[in-house]
Structures are given as structure tokens and as C-alpha cells.
């Protein structure tokens, strides 16, 4: 296991876990914790060490996903937006980005969000891009951008007239270009879970994207192929959430001295460990089919919901307090049930729900 994991895990346990309920609702506290990660150069997990990243292996990366979600869903969700943006830059064919050191992205001096999940939607594209004079003109809406006030910029996804996917860097703020192009961001959306992450939508009208700010232009349907390839990735957040529910259940079993709570924890704990081992094994096995991974993703989502509900039930009426651990973990289970959701994942999740 990578040598970076132990200090990160210790930091999560000692500094983040005690304030998890506070950073769930308070953007300023969440921003401070995110900056602590930057101060330690922990914001580019997959980037090579030569470029300032941690150079984590896939197994170590997914291990950290679970640890972060187990400790704080808000921090896990916010920092993964930046990690996704850095990953997109690492794959960029734009020589300007490829030659640029990623150290600023690892140490938090430059923070990026993402706004391209809408490309998974069927039907008429919500954000269109047209090529004009060596530039790209963007018009439409970005329904979901997490990290307003945290990230200076974000990687946006737009659909070109021929169906290709354009990815480029835009400011994450209200802005007006000399040419008349505008970006207008909404107020932070009122979310049930991880409200402190400041998720907004943005209306874009005639924004000119310069060539040097283009990250990539991909063939039509690339995001769907990537989603299929990485179908298990978001499942590791759900596994971390399941562990968070079990932590609460275990604490209550010890405090209340009720044998059935201990028995419930043991049964669910065995299931979570088995699914986690299976997920890690599936990631590294090229013989495992997409259908097998999809089924496991649905099972993991179902398991996280059961574990968070177990925490709620064991907490009794106290779970209904807004700032209780059980309430937070239950809300996070909702979030990680739909994060990175495709139509296939929706179907798999419902099939597991109906078969329970």
C-alpha cells in the first residue's frame, strides 16, 4: 500500500472526523479543510509524482475514496470534482496543458471543478458549441457545477454540431467578455446532502472559448464509453458511506449493550468487506464483464442504503436531528446512490431495491 495513505488516514481521523457534521453545512469550514489538503499537496492523487501528484495505484486510489466517504461525504464529493478535472487534464492532447506542471493543482494554488455530467443525458444537448474563426462559441446551460466559491475555474462539456464532445476551461463565476459572451451562475442550490459544497447551475450565452483553453475534443459518445469503463468507480464512495453507517451502529451497540445491534453490525460488516474485496478484484480483472460490474454497483448502492438505515434505526429519535451523525450519513447515502448515475446504473439500483 502506498506510503502516502497512512498520514492521510491519520489526518482524516484526527482532524476531519471530529468536524464532519460542521463541514457538511458550513462552506467556510469545508473550504478550510480542502485547503489543508492543498497545503499537504494531496489534491492530485493519480498524477505522477514527477508532476507533483501522489502517483497512487488504482487500488490505493479506491482505498482513499472509501476512507474519505467514510469520514465526510461533503469533503469526499468536493475534492473528487477537482480530482476528476486533474484526471481530464492528464489525458489532454493540448500541449500547453501537457507541458504545464500539475504542482499547483496538487497543492491547491489552482483549483478546478467539472461541469460535464449533462453530456450523459439523452435528447437535445443543453450546451452547444459552434466553431467560429478558430474559437468555439458556447451557448446553453450547465445544470450542475459543484464548488462555487471553492474553485476558480471548471472544465465544461459541450456538444459540437457534429456530435463530438468539446471540453474546455471556463471561469466559475459571473463573467462578461468584451465580445459580449456571458456566464451567469445561480445561487447555490438547496441540496438535501452536502449543501456546503455550493453546487450551482450556469447559463452561458455566446461565450468564446479560445483554442488554448480547449482540454480535448472527443468523438460522439465518449462520455458514455468512459462511464461504462469506470462503472464501479463511484461505488467506492458508497462503500465508504456503508462503513460510516456501520461505525455509528458499532458505537451504539457498545453504548446500549444490546446484543441484536452487535449481531446486525457483524452481518452487515461481513457484507461490506466482501463487496469491497470484490470491487477491488473486479477493477484489476479484465475478464470481468461490464454486466458483472454493473450488477455489483447496484448491490453496493443497496448495501450503503441498508447500512445508513441501520444507523438511523439504532439511533432512534436522535437520528431526526439535522446535525446528528446518522442523519448526515443517511443523506450521504442518497447522494452516493445517484452520483455518476447512468441509465444502466439506475436500472441496476432499482432491480436490487425491488429484490430486497
Amino acid at each position: 500500500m502506498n506510503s502516502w495513505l497512512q498520514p492521510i488516514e491519520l489526518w482524516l481521523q484526527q482532524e476531519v472526523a471530529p468536524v464532519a457534521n460542521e463541514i457538511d453545512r458550513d462552506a467556510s469550514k469545508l473550504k478550510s479543510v480542502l485547503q489543508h489538503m492543498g497545503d499537504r499537496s494531496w489534491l492530485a492523487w493519480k498524477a505522477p509524482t514527477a508532476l507533483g501528484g501522489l502517483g497512487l495505484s488504482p487500488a490505493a486510489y479506491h482505498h482513499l475514496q472509501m476512507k474519505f466517504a467514510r469520514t465526510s461525504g461533503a469533503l469526499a464529493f468536493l475534492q473528487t470534482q477537482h480530482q476528476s478535472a486533474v484526471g481530464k487534464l492528464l489525458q489532454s492532447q493540448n500541449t500547453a496543458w501537457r507541458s504545464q506542471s500539475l504542482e499547483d493543482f496538487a497543492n491547491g494554488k489552482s483549483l478546478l471543478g467539472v461541469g460535464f455530467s449533462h453530456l450523459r443525458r439523452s435528447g437535445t444537448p443543453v450546451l452547444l458549441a459552434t466553431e467560429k474563426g478558430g474559437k468555439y462559441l458556447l451557448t446553453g446551460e450547465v445544470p450542475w457545477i459543484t464548488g462555487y466559491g471553492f474553485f476558480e475555474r471548471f472544465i465544461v462539456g459541450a456538444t459540437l454540431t457534429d456530435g463530438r464532445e468539446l471540453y474546455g476551461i471556463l471561469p466559475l463565476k459571473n463573467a462578461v467578455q468584451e465580445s459580449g459572451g456571458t456566464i451567469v451562475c445561480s445561487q447555490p442550490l438547496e441540496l438535501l446532502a452536502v449543501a456546503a459544497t455550493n453546487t450551482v447551475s450556469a447559463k452561458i450565452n455566446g461565450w468564446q472559448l479560445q483554442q488554448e483553453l480547449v482540454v480535448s475534443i472527443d468523438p460522439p459518445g465518449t462520455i458514455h464509453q468512459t462511464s461504462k469503463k469506470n462503472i464501479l468507480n463511484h461505488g467506492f464512495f458508497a462503500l465508504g458511506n456503508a462503513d460510516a453507517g456501520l461505525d455509528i451502529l458499532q458505537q451504539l451497540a457498545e453504548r446500549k449493550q444490546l446484543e441484536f445491534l452487535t449481531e446486525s453490525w457483524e452481518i452487515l460488516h461481513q457484507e461490506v468487506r466482501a463487496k469491497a474485496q470484490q470491487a477491488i478484484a473486479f477493477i484489476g480483472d479484465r475478464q470481468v464483464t461490464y454486466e458483472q460490474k454493473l450488477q455489483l454497483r447496484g448491490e453496493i448502492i443497496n448495501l450503503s442504503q441498508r447500512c445508513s438505515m441501520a444507523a438511523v434505526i439504532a439511533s432512534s429519535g436522535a437520528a431526526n436531528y439535522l446535525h446528528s451523525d446518522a442523519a448526515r450519513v443517511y443523506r450521504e447515502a442518497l447522494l452516493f446512490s445517484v452520483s455518476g448515475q447512468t441509465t444502466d446504473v439506475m436500472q441496476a439500483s432499482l432491480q436490487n431495491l425491488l429484490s430486497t
Side-chain angles (χ1 to χ4, degrees), residues 221-235:
T222 295
I223 194 169
H224 297 294
Q225 293 303 316
T226 301
S227 294
K228 291 186 71 172
K229 178 183 177 182
N230 300 327
I231 196 66
L232 272 177
N233 282 8
H234 283 275

Side-chain angles (χ1 to χ4, degrees), residues 52-298:
L54 298 186
L56 297 184
S57 67
Y61 178 83
H62 295 310
H63 177 80
L64 270 191
Q65 281 184 292
M66 289 187 285
K67 288 294 183 180
F68 269 73
R70 183 177 188 170
T71 308
S72 166
L75 180 59
F77 189 64
L78 181 64
Q79 64 83 34
T80 200
Q81 311 298 313
H82 178 74
Q83 303 281 0
S84 296
V86 172
K88 195 71 177 172
L89 291 180
L90 286 171
Q91 299 168 4
S92 177
Q93 297 301 309
N94 187 326
T95 55
W97 287 113
R98 291 180 64 185
S99 62
Q100 179 179 337
S101 171
L102 291 176
E103 287 188 10
D104 284 351
F105 295 113
N107 61 29
K109 291 182 180 178
S110 183
L111 294 170
L112 284 172
V114 293
F116 47 71
S117 61
H118 52 274
L119 294 180
R120 297 192 187 99
R121 298 183 179 185
S122 59
T124 304
V126 296
L127 183 62
L128 293 170
T130 55
E131 190 171 3
K132 184 178 181 181
K135 303 174 184 177
Y136 294 93
L137 206 62
L138 306 183
T139 296
E141 183 177 6
V142 185
W144 186 280
I145 317 165
T146 293
Y148 187 86
F150 295 93
F151 306 142
E152 300 92 353
R153 297 170 292 173
F154 72 106
I155 298 178
V156 71
T159 305
L160 287 160
T161 53
D162 60 4
R164 289 179 298 163
E165 300 169 4
L166 170 71
Y167 296 88
I169 296 179
L170 270 60
L172 184 47
K173 63 180 181 180
N174 295 330
V176 180
Q177 292 179 313
E178 291 183 5
S179 61
T182 60
I183 298 175
V184 179
C185 298
S186 71
Q187 291 295 312
L189 305 176
E190 295 184 356
L191 302 182
L192 179 64
V194 299
T197 59
N198 286 358
T199 295
V200 299
S201 61
K203 294 186 182 300
I204 300 175
N205 186 27
W207 187 268
Q208 291 188 1
L209 179 69
Q210 307 287 342
Q211 282 283 353
E212 59 266 26
L213 293 177
V214 173
V215 175
S216 67
I217 298 178
D218 299 337
T222 295
I223 194 169
H224 297 294
Q225 293 303 316
T226 301
S227 294
K228 291 186 71 172
K229 178 183 177 182
N230 300 327
I231 196 66
L232 272 177
N233 282 8
H234 283 275
F236 291 98
F237 289 119
L239 283 166
N241 172 261
D243 274 329
L246 291 183
D247 287 342
I248 296 171
L249 182 59
Q250 185 179 35
Q251 292 165 8
L252 291 170
E254 293 173 354
R255 192 179 78 198
K256 295 185 177 183
Q257 293 295 299
L258 294 173
E259 186 176 350
F260 65 84
L261 291 182
T262 301
E263 292 173 352
S264 299
W265 177 85
E266 290 174 346
I267 292 171
L268 289 170
H269 177 73
Q270 290 178 5
E271 286 192 54
V272 172
R273 295 282 66 77
K275 294 301 181 188
Q277 292 175 8
Q278 188 178 8
I280 290 294
F282 275 16
I283 289 292
D285 190 344
R286 295 184 178 180
Q287 301 302 314
V288 178
T289 65
Y290 167 71
E291 287 72 23
Q292 289 174 305
K293 292 179 180 179
L294 178 63
Q295 180 179 346
L296 179 58
R297 173 81 178 273

